[in-house]
Amino acid sequence: MIIKKVVELLESDQVLQEYKVNGWVRAFRSNRFIALNDGSCLENLQCVVDFKNTDDQVLRKVTTGAAISVSGTLKESEGKGQSVELEVKSINILGEAHPEEVKKTILQPKKHSFEKLREQAHLRVRTNTFGAIMRVRSKLSFAVHQYFNDNGFFYVNTPIVTGSDAEGAGEMFKVTNLDLKDPPKTKDGEIDYSQDFFGKETNLTVSGQLEAETYAMGLGKVYTFGPTFRAENSNTTRHLAEFWMIEPEVAFCDLKGNIDLAEDFIQQVLKYITEHCKSDLEFLENRLLEEEKSKPEKDRSPMPLREKIDFVLKNNFKRVSYTEAIDILRNSKPNKKKKFSYIIKEWGADLQSEHERYLVEKHFECPVVIYDYPADIKAFYMRLNDDGKTVRAMDVLFPGIGEIAGGSQREERYDVLLSKMREIGIDEKELWWYLDTRKFGTCVHSGFGLGFERLVLFATGMSNIRDVIPYPRSPQNAEF
Amino acid sequence: MIIKKVVELLESDQVLQEYKVNGWVRAFRSNRFIALNDGSCLENLQCVVDFKNTDDQVLRKVTTGAAISVSGTLKESEGKGQSVELEVKSINILGEAHPEEVKKTILQPKKHSFEKLREQAHLRVRTNTFGAIMRVRSKLSFAVHQYFNDNGFFYVNTPIVTGSDAEGAGEMFKVTNLDLKDPPKTKDGEIDYSQDFFGKETNLTVSGQLEAETYAMGLGKVYTFGPTFRAENSNTTRHLAEFWMIEPEVAFCDLKGNIDLAEDFIQQVLKYITEHCKSDLEFLENRLLEEEKSKPEKDRSPMPLREKIDFVLKNNFKRVSYTEAIDILRNSKPNKKKKFSYIIKEWGADLQSEHERYLVEKHFECPVVIYDYPADIKAFYMRLNDDGKTVRAMDVLFPGIGEIAGGSQREERYDVLLSKMREIGIDEKELWWYLDTRKFGTCVHSGFGLGFERLVLFATGMSNIRDVIPYPRSPQNAEF
């Protein structure tokens, strides 16, 4: 007998053929209709049981959560909601799920809070919502790789364990093999890292950018897509201690080219999921509409999910300089009426989340790219403009998400980079290899980092970043 | 003017058109021929300079390693080795590379040892060999994602920081945020991990399998492709402390299906690079032939690189049970003549690298899959056979590489798994979520792990695993 996935049968027009399907019971009603799901798609296969001719012992084990194997004939469905159904000839119980045990879990078919689902993160992927999220996440990942591969980029795996703590993007986790109870010490009483596994102090990477730059100087166009880490005690719905980041880096590319790339990239990967995740996105859209019913109207999303995605992929991102943005904010109502927690007084102020959201959600009502930030509030490796006070940085801001990507044209001038490093106290001996890229055939180059989970948040309409990664890592939480 | 990549121009037939190309000078001979490389492919673009009409100051800066921008007309080439060349109208020096400085580096065009190249891993990607390796690595990665996406698998990002130390695949690195010089302690004098970032002891993952299993139980077919870690002090040409692993996990799939998947997967991704990395593979093949000239004939590869890849993707892998393999080994010449370091005496012995290589390289002369290993030498989660002494494990062995993948059908029976865990002392409270997968709709399922760098080794014909990842991590080495 031919074994098929549910998604294959639902898309099939090979009715009257015999098939076998394996999956998990989502529901069994009237002792007749099994809703069978195998994860291949959101939809269940309706399996119609001839209960008179089926062993009662077997039927009793067809309960929510059980794994079963069903054989039968594919037929056009008379019921609503599906085009085909399986007329069951035999049922094989593979793995039971005792109703009393199921009741204690989120497999029990009723509404569970996201908190509860997180506590059972190993089971939540069996719900419609998390199945949909994780399929969208997977398809988005593939779209990322396909976009870069199609556009002449090479994938680079930059190191996760890094001996450098100069990446400057945030607090780092230590990686060690030493006995913490009795670590070896030097004569001066310091930890003797020469006895550690790597012979030096090592951390988890916060960004692969610096290493990616060295590779862009050889391969031209590269990108990373891997886990990065922040040991920051921020218990928010927007931050994870472990998250996946996408970092393209392009030689011979200036800031404008970098913004163009970010815009095109984001639009193309979102386009991919609108084409490949139709029913999952529809489900997530309806879930969000349902959830927002209980909210006051002003807090609801201005557009349904799919319309919002469409809007982003069909409209240009608004590009404004930091200086223009500051002017808009200074003259904005919430600033004048002191509604912002941080009042914008003068040029040079760092933008807070509330300001970014105002620009994106109230003022422009579309994704916004802010560029040419004050040098003082940005990283050491960003290209200094001729004005001597701004750098060729850019942030991509998204409605409901805030900063989704940040990048810059890099400082390609050896002397300028070196003096900047000295100014802020980065040991040039530690980054000798990074400086070398400016010594041998340096060139204008640019890149950005995009937090993958924030993109998934946007694409799924979820509101907590812990719900778009299988096993979230955050302060006080490394379960599973 | 249209800006093009070298690979686009070399594949172009748009001669007599004007183009601009950015890249790095690989060589400049006779003050006339610039070999320009931009990393987009192995080949250089020959740029023909009209030196009489070019500023001498500019020409003097066209040195190996310099970044330049060249504009001119694409012409059919009269010289050998290329179909087109660029007749240069203008040269713009973007970044110089002083010959005196270049001489100190591996950019100097002469033969450098791999050791030396490793010490300058930030520059080695600018050499032909490492450019080729890293392009092949990138294309192989893409082939992996494409294979799984095309075959209905969902990509799952399992956690890198894990609170579990029961994965059992090897020594782990600790991840911590505590002050190592003065860590908080409990009353009993133990490290007080409740004060650590995650509120518990955490490590870097050695495998995403257990978490992937939970996802296979919801999405059906999943795979991971991410970094994994081993804190093992093995300074060999086959081991890294940080490496990328591919781990598919499939519900409703038994050991045979698992072996079928491994074989098809490996063949398809290798096929992809034979189609998409033609010149890089040709170059790597010739490099290997050249390298092996200095070796005694018996130590040379039996086939040139591309023939070896072709052989693997056109021939079935030989499948033998552990019991058959032991019989072959026991009766083999090297065993009888005591040439093996570990003499195979009886059933139950663990296979060493020398035995695996004998089976693959001498006895079968093709990739070999060994299955049904003794339970005692394999992991706790593997499905016990009805004989009570073997488990449904499999290892895929490759010529010149040894074990390239290992996997199993998983023990899906709750009671059997639990008693096995108790037997070997794994805390069931720690893996409660893993046990849960056997409680709610358990089913036959299988998966394997494939060390990505070993596949890259095989595909590139390189012999040291540190040369197929950008920045290798190994004992006493976390530079860059």
Side-chain angles (χ1 to χ4, degrees):
Chain A
M1 180 123 20
I2 302 166
I3 301 177
K4 286 280 184 187
K5 288 273 154 193
V6 169
V7 69
E8 293 167 327
L9 291 186
L10 293 181
E11 288 170 359
S12 168
D13 52 5
Q14 303 292 305
V15 288
L16 304 183
Q17 294 224 21
E18 304 257 304
Y19 294 108
K20 181 171 163 178
V21 198
N22 301 310
W24 294 273
V25 177
R26 282 291 173 87
F28 185 28
R29 55 189 179 85
S30 318
N31 230 8
R32 195 162 156 73
F33 301 105
I34 303 172
L36 192 69
N37 190 287
D38 67 358
S40 64
C41 60
L42 179 84
E43 293 82 4
N44 303 318
L45 178 69
Q46 173 151 296
C47 304
V48 186
V49 180
D50 176 8
F51 66 92
K52 283 180 202 150
N53 294 310
T54 309
D55 184 352
D56 199 47
Q57 292 302 322
V58 169
L59 285 182
R60 244 180 263 170
K61 291 178 180 168
V62 179
T63 57
T64 298
I68 64 173
S69 183
V70 179
S71 302
T73 313
L74 194 68
K75 296 226 162 152
E76 279 184 42
S77 176
E78 288 158 24
K80 268 191 216 167
Q82 66 266 331
S83 57
V84 293
E85 59 189 27
L86 199 78
E87 195 180 79
V88 177
K89 295 210 167 136
S90 76
I91 302 177
N92 190 5
I93 307 291
L94 304 176
E96 298 178 39
H98 296 290
E100 284 310 307
E101 291 289 324
V102 167
K103 258 188 205 162
K104 299 176 198 160
T105 74
I106 52 117
L107 294 176
Q108 175 78 349
K110 61 164 209 174
K111 203 163 165 53
H112 304 284
S113 71
F114 282 123
E115 286 74 16
K116 189 140 186 224
L117 287 157
R118 255 168 252 144
E119 285 164 14
Q120 296 179 36
H122 63 306
L123 296 177
R124 66 180 179 171
V125 70
R126 303 196 196 184
T127 65
N128 280 337
T129 300
F130 282 86
I133 294 167
M134 295 308 166
R135 281 187 295 269
V136 171
R137 181 184 168 107
S138 170
K139 288 291 173 187
L140 257 182
S141 286
F142 183 69
V144 169
H145 287 294
Q146 185 167 269
Y147 177 87
F148 287 122
N149 188 62
D150 287 354
N151 286 282
F153 284 74
F154 298 103
Y155 183 43
V156 177
N157 295 126
T158 49
I160 309 299
V161 175
T162 170
S164 146
D165 62 359
E167 292 167 357
E171 281 291 306
M172 299 177 107
F173 289 104
K174 287 185 261 272
V175 174
T176 181
N177 209 4
L178 295 176
D179 178 5
L180 299 199
K181 274 176 74 179
D182 185 22
K185 301 212 172 154
T186 61
K187 278 178 200 158
D188 311 336
E190 299 295 319
I191 302 288
D192 184 4
Y193 285 108
S194 73
Q195 294 187 49
D196 206 348
F197 186 90
F198 294 109
K200 63 194 295 194
E201 203 173 342
T202 49
N203 300 296
L204 289 179
T205 186
V206 292
S207 160
Q209 177 202 318
L210 305 192
E211 289 91 351
E213 279 187 56
T214 66
Y215 261 56
M217 291 298 155
L219 298 177
K221 296 163 84 172
V222 302
Y223 73 107
T224 74
F225 186 1
T228 47
F229 305 84
R230 297 278 189 285
E232 274 151 27
N233 208 346
S234 33
N235 249 317
T236 80
T237 58
R238 294 281 176 274
H239 293 88
L240 290 166
E242 173 182 320
F243 61 100
W244 285 65
M245 186 137 75
I246 298 156
E247 297 182 282
E249 191 70 37
V250 187
F252 312 111
C253 174
D254 62 11
L255 185 65
K256 182 180 173 301
N258 201 29
I259 299 174
D260 291 344
L261 174 67
E263 181 174 324
D264 188 53
F265 166 72
I266 293 171
Q267 289 179 332
Q268 292 303 318
V269 299
L270 288 175
K271 182 158 180 265
Y272 183 90
I273 59 157
T274 61
E275 289 162 0
H276 292 85
C277 302
K278 286 193 163 65
S279 60
D280 285 325
L281 289 180
E282 184 187 355
F283 176 86
L284 291 168
E285 174 173 299
N286 290 330
R287 187 208 69 78
L288 185 59
L289 288 171
E290 199 58 39
E291 182 186 274
E292 291 192 333
K293 274 186 190 161
S294 62
K295 287 187 181 175
E297 196 154 335
K298 69 171 182 56
D299 293 341
R300 294 181 199 166
S301 312
M303 294 176 199
L305 179 62
R306 288 173 300 175
E307 198 179 318
K308 187 185 70 169
I309 295 174
D310 261 351
F311 179 84
V312 166
L313 64 87
K314 282 180 182 149
N315 290 283
N316 290 337
F317 297 4
K318 178 72 190 171
R319 302 177 187 200
V320 287
S321 72
Y322 167 87
T323 304
E324 292 170 274
I326 283 290
D327 278 347
I328 292 166
L329 288 167
R330 204 156 31 186
N331 295 317
S332 70
K333 260 195 199 161
N335 205 56
K336 287 182 171 165
K337 294 191 170 172
K338 308 208 173 189
K339 290 272 169 70
F340 283 145
S341 306
Y342 296 84
I343 303 303
I344 297 286
K345 290 182 189 145
E346 55 195 16
W347 193 96
D350 206 352
L351 299 187
Q352 304 298 323
S353 174
E354 56 181 344
H355 309 129
E356 296 176 347
R357 294 192 69 154
Y358 173 81
L359 289 170
V360 172
E361 290 163 23
K362 304 291 175 193
H363 189 84
F364 291 112
E365 297 184 54
C366 73
V368 173
V369 182
I370 302 182
Y371 61 89
D372 283 352
Y373 279 84
D376 290 348
I377 60 172
K378 288 289 179 181
F380 75 93
Y381 48 72
M382 296 185 175
R383 176 61 153 85
L384 191 64
N385 277 311
D386 291 343
D387 63 14
K389 61 177 193 168
T390 61
V391 286
R392 287 189 195 155
M394 65 162 199
D395 279 349
V396 183
L397 311 177
F398 255 48
I401 306 291
E403 185 190 325
I404 199 166
S408 72
Q409 186 175 317
R410 316 306 187 188
E411 182 55 75
E412 87 280 13
R413 297 165 297 182
Y414 183 87
D415 295 341
V416 180
L417 181 64
L418 182 61
S419 69
K420 184 68 185 256
M421 281 168 63
R422 283 178 180 161
E423 192 186 310
I424 61 170
I426 294 175
D427 187 353
E428 62 206 81
K429 280 193 201 100
E430 203 181 308
L431 287 187
W432 64 276
W433 49 274
Y434 185 65
L435 279 163
D436 258 13
T437 54
R438 276 65 176 172
K439 222 163 156 180
F440 304 103
T442 189
C443 68
V444 167
H445 64 288
S446 303
F448 63 85
L450 182 142
F452 181 61
E453 280 74 18
R454 295 204 176 168
L455 189 63
V456 184
L457 268 186
F458 179 78
T460 57
M462 298 297 292
S463 50
N464 191 325
I465 201 160
R466 296 174 198 193
D467 294 331
V468 298
I469 189 167
Y471 297 104
R473 296 290 179 251
S474 54
Q476 299 297 309
N477 174 31
E479 190 66 49
F480 308 104
Chain B
M1 182 129 11
I2 304 165
I3 301 177
K4 287 280 184 186
K5 288 272 155 196
V6 169
V7 70
E8 292 168 326
L9 291 186
L10 293 181
E11 288 170 359
S12 166
D13 51 5
Q14 303 292 305
V15 289
L16 304 184
Q17 294 223 20
E18 306 258 305
Y19 294 108
K20 182 170 162 177
V21 197
N22 301 310
W24 293 273
V25 177
R26 282 291 173 85
F28 186 30
R29 46 183 187 89
S30 317
N31 230 8
R32 194 163 156 75
F33 302 107
I34 303 172
L36 191 71
N37 190 287
D38 67 359
S40 63
C41 61
L42 179 83
E43 293 82 4
N44 304 318
L45 178 69
Q46 171 152 298
C47 305
V48 186
V49 180
D50 175 8
F51 65 93
K52 281 182 206 154
N53 294 311
T54 309
D55 183 352
D56 199 47
Q57 291 300 325
V58 170
L59 286 182
R60 248 181 258 169
K61 291 177 180 168
V62 180
T63 57
T64 298
I68 63 172
S69 182
V70 178
S71 302
T73 312
L74 194 68
K75 297 225 162 151
E76 279 183 43
S77 178
E78 285 159 25
K80 269 191 214 167
Q82 66 267 331
S83 58
V84 293
E85 60 189 25
L86 199 77
E87 194 181 80
V88 177
K89 293 211 171 138
S90 75
I91 302 176
N92 189 7
I93 307 292
L94 304 176
E96 298 178 39
H98 296 289
E100 284 309 306
E101 292 288 324
V102 167
K103 257 189 206 164
K104 300 175 198 160
T105 74
I106 52 119
L107 296 176
Q108 175 78 345
K110 61 165 208 173
K111 206 166 164 50
H112 304 284
S113 73
F114 283 123
E115 287 74 17
K116 188 141 185 219
L117 287 158
R118 256 168 251 145
E119 287 163 13
Q120 296 178 35
H122 64 307
L123 297 177
R124 65 180 180 173
V125 71
R126 303 195 197 184
T127 64
N128 279 335
T129 300
F130 283 86
I133 293 167
M134 295 307 165
R135 279 186 297 268
V136 170
R137 182 184 167 106
S138 171
K139 290 288 172 187
L140 257 181
S141 286
F142 183 69
V144 169
H145 288 294
Q146 185 168 268
Y147 177 88
F148 287 122
N149 188 62
D150 286 353
N151 286 282
F153 284 74
F154 298 104
Y155 183 43
V156 177
N157 295 125
T158 50
I160 309 301
V161 175
T162 170
S164 146
D165 63 357
E167 294 167 356
E171 282 290 308
M172 300 176 107
F173 289 104
K174 287 187 264 270
V175 174
T176 182
N177 207 5
L178 296 175
D179 178 5
L180 299 199
K181 275 177 74 178
D182 185 23
K185 299 210 173 159
T186 63
K187 279 177 198 159
D188 312 336
E190 298 296 318
I191 301 289
D192 184 4
Y193 285 107
S194 73
Q195 294 188 47
D196 206 348
F197 186 91
F198 294 109
K200 65 195 291 195
E201 204 173 342
T202 50
N203 300 295
L204 288 180
T205 186
V206 293
S207 160
Q209 177 202 317
L210 305 192
E211 289 91 351
E213 279 188 56
T214 67
Y215 261 57
M217 290 298 158
L219 299 177
K221 296 162 85 172
V222 302
Y223 73 106
T224 73
F225 186 1
T228 48
F229 304 85
R230 297 280 189 285
E232 272 150 28
N233 208 346
S234 34
N235 249 317
T236 80
T237 58
R238 293 282 175 274
H239 293 87
L240 289 167
E242 172 181 319
F243 60 101
W244 284 66
M245 186 137 76
I246 297 156
E247 295 182 285
E249 191 70 36
V250 187
F252 313 111
C253 174
D254 63 9
L255 185 65
K256 184 185 171 299
N258 201 30
I259 298 175
D260 291 344
L261 174 66
E263 181 174 324
D264 188 52
F265 166 71
I266 293 171
Q267 289 179 331
Q268 292 304 317
V269 298
L270 288 176
K271 183 160 178 264
Y272 182 90
I273 59 156
T274 61
E275 290 163 359
H276 292 85
C277 303
K278 287 193 163 69
S279 60
D280 285 324
L281 289 179
E282 184 186 356
F283 176 86
L284 290 167
E285 173 173 299
N286 290 331
R287 187 209 68 81
L288 185 60
L289 287 171
E290 198 59 38
E291 181 185 275
E292 291 191 333
K293 274 186 189 162
S294 62
K295 288 186 180 175
E297 195 153 337
K298 70 171 180 55
D299 293 341
R300 296 182 197 166
S301 313
M303 295 178 201
L305 180 62
R306 287 173 300 174
E307 198 178 321
K308 188 185 70 172
I309 296 173
D310 260 353
F311 179 85
V312 166
L313 63 88
K314 283 179 181 150
N315 290 283
N316 291 337
F317 296 4
K318 179 72 189 170
R319 303 176 186 202
V320 288
S321 73
Y322 168 87
T323 303
E324 292 169 273
I326 283 290
D327 277 347
I328 292 165
L329 288 167
R330 204 155 32 187
N331 295 315
S332 69
K333 260 195 202 164
N335 203 56
K336 287 181 172 168
K337 293 193 171 174
K338 310 213 170 181
K339 288 272 170 69
F340 284 145
S341 305
Y342 295 85
I343 303 302
I344 297 287
K345 290 179 189 149
E346 54 195 15
W347 193 96
D350 205 352
L351 299 187
Q352 305 297 322
S353 172
E354 57 181 344
H355 308 127
E356 297 176 346
R357 294 192 69 154
Y358 173 81
L359 290 168
V360 172
E361 290 162 26
K362 304 290 174 193
H363 189 83
F364 291 111
E365 298 185 51
C366 73
V368 173
V369 182
I370 303 182
Y371 61 90
D372 282 352
Y373 279 84
D376 290 348
I377 58 171
K378 287 289 179 182
F380 75 95
Y381 49 71
M382 296 186 175
R383 176 61 154 83
L384 191 65
N385 277 309
D386 293 342
D387 62 14
K389 62 175 190 169
T390 61
V391 287
R392 286 187 195 156
M394 66 161 198
D395 280 349
V396 182
L397 311 176
F398 254 47
I401 306 290
E403 186 191 322
I404 199 166
S408 72
Q409 186 176 317
R410 316 307 187 186
E411 182 54 74
E412 85 281 13
R413 298 164 297 181
Y414 183 88
D415 295 341
V416 181
L417 182 63
L418 182 60
S419 69
K420 185 66 186 257
M421 279 169 61
R422 284 177 179 161
E423 193 186 311
I424 63 169
I426 293 176
D427 187 356
E428 62 204 78
K429 282 195 200 98
E430 203 180 309
L431 287 187
W432 65 276
W433 50 273
Y434 185 65
L435 279 162
D436 258 12
T437 54
R438 276 65 175 173
K439 222 164 158 179
F440 304 103
T442 190
C443 68
V444 166
H445 64 287
S446 303
F448 63 85
L450 182 142
F452 181 60
E453 280 74 19
R454 294 203 178 170
L455 189 61
V456 184
L457 267 186
F458 179 78
T460 57
M462 298 298 292
S463 49
N464 190 325
I465 202 161
R466 297 173 197 191
D467 295 331
V468 298
I469 189 168
Y471 296 103
R473 295 291 179 248
S474 56
Q476 300 297 307
N477 174 31
E479 189 66 48
F480 306 105

